[in-house]
Amino acid sequence: QLQLVESGGGLVQPGGSLRLSCVASGLSLNYYAVGWFHQAPGKERLGVSCASSSADEAYYEESVKGRFTIFRDNAKNTVYLEMTNLKPEDTGNYSCAADSGTAVDTMCNNSWADWWGQGTQVTVSS
């Protein structure tokens, strides 16, 4: 069983930055694809970035390309989402997920994952 706990959310002004963290326990993240998903108020959950277990493949949703970066530290069993130039439309709950066998674009486009965290809230507002 894999448990995922996110942190790092908060209130930030437009143009600001945040780094979200997702710490895994129970199993090693080394063998799983990982992803970050955004659920804006009143909207469906969308995959913003997913990365393969080997970190050689990454998917980014079009609206976050050039602004968000997903990276992992396997030694810490942690995956991060570096968010820069934040916009009000980035507001919402961000949850991380892990999956054992799905391609990263499929994982993000379909919100498919074996394990999910509860999420951390990001609010972008002046």
Side-chain angles (χ1 to χ4, degrees), residues 44-60:
E44 291 187 354
R45 181 170 57 194
L46 295 176
V48 295
S49 184
C50 295
S52 63
S53 58
S54 58
D56 60 352
E57 290 183 74
Y59 167 91
Y60 291 94

Side-chain angles (χ1 to χ4, degrees), residues 6 8 10 27 29 46-47 49 62-64 69 73 76-77 80-81 86 91 105 107 112 114:
E6 303 92 336
L27 294 171
L29 271 182
L46 295 176
S49 184
E62 193 64 34
S63 69
V64 307
T69 303
D73 185 337
K76 294 183 178 180
N77 222 23
Y80 302 92
L81 185 67
L86 282 159
T91 293
D105 55 345
M107 182 180 180
W112 284 355
D114 295 326

